[in-house]
């Protein structure tokens, strides 16, 4: 598993934990780090610079992220989403804001995979649609990459 994928997953685990606690970010990092120390061999690498940057953006720009998500949700509210989907979307938008150099297609694909792994059977498709709309709303030009017609080079 790549370093950024590990970092994204660690950030997701922290975001998910924050769904169920009123703890601030440092307290949540401590809690998740303690729980993760008994997990798989890679454990949680929340101290990693990349995960830390995503988490810092989520913490500092929480209300902006909420607004961005509310604007992108059609016929849904954040409260209606399951906790895993909400956490995936918050982390993804946090990374989108904190790491403008990451290509949108890479970012969306990474979070589709996390939604598939941690969400329900519809999560990946839902996350894909919402993140695509977020990118379009934010004017990220690489949000919809036109495909080349078949048979042309």
């Amino acid at each position: 598993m790549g370093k950024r994928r590990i970092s994204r997953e660690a950030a997701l685990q922290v975001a998910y934990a924050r769904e169920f606690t009123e703890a601030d970010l440092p307290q949540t990092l401590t809690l998740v780090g303690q729980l993760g120390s008994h997990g798989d061999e890679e454990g949680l690498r929340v101290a990693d610079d990349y995960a830390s940057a995503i988490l810092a953006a989520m913490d500092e720009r929480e209300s902006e992220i909420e607004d961005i998500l509310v604007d992108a949700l059609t016929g849904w509210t954040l409260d209606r989403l399951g906790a895993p989907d909400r956490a995936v979307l918050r982390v993804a938008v946090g990374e989108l804001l904190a790491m403008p150099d990451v290509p949108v297609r890479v970012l969306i694909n990474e979070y589709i995979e996390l939604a598939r792994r941690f969400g329900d059977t519809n999560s990946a498709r839902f996350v894909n649609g919402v993140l695509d709309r977020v990118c379009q709303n934010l004017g990220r030009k690489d949000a919809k990459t036109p495909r080349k017609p078949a048979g042309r080079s």
Side-chain angles (χ1 to χ4, degrees), residues 15-17 22 24 42 47-48 57 60 64 68 74 88 91 94 98-99 102-103 114 124 131 133 141 146:
Y16 184 76
E22 295 292 321
D24 63 9
E42 292 169 338
D48 172 80
E60 294 163 9
E64 181 183 1
I68 288 168
T74 304
V88 167
V91 175
M99 310 294 184
V102 175
L114 287 171
L131 290 179
R133 201 168 308 114
K141 295 181 189 325

Side-chain angles (χ1 to χ4, degrees), residues 5-147:
R5 182 167 286 182
I6 292 168
S7 297
R8 288 178 180 113
E9 187 173 317
L12 175 61
Q13 291 179 19
V14 172
Y16 184 76
R18 288 193 76 188
E19 291 283 331
F20 302 102
T21 181
E22 295 292 321
D24 63 9
L25 181 60
Q27 292 169 326
T28 306
L29 286 170
T30 299
L31 173 66
V32 173
Q34 290 170 352
L35 295 174
S37 66
H38 304 292
D40 63 8
E41 66 191 51
E42 292 169 338
L44 293 175
R45 297 183 184 188
V46 292
D48 172 80
D49 291 340
Y50 200 80
S52 296
I54 295 169
L55 291 168
M58 288 175 56
D59 195 46
E60 294 163 9
R61 300 172 86 172
E62 184 176 358
S63 63
E64 181 183 1
I65 291 169
E66 299 293 309
D67 291 343
I68 288 168
L69 287 172
V70 167
D71 288 344
L73 292 170
T74 304
W76 289 86
T77 62
L78 281 171
D79 293 342
R80 281 187 60 204
L81 303 181
D85 292 350
R86 218 175 17 247
V88 167
L89 290 170
R90 286 180 173 145
V91 175
V93 174
E95 182 174 356
L96 186 67
L97 296 174
M99 310 294 184
D101 59 317
V102 175
V104 168
R105 282 285 153 223
V106 170
L107 186 135
I108 291 175
N109 286 335
E110 287 290 319
Y111 287 100
I112 288 170
E113 289 305 314
L114 287 171
R116 186 172 285 126
R117 183 167 173 206
F118 294 104
D120 66 24
T121 56
N122 299 314
S123 292
R125 188 175 205 176
F126 181 75
V127 164
N128 181 24
V130 173
L131 290 179
D132 191 56
R133 201 168 308 114
V134 164
C135 292
Q136 288 176 16
N137 291 350
L138 293 176
R140 289 290 298 258
K141 295 181 189 325
D142 55 343
K144 285 263 187 196
T145 306
R147 292 178 141 183

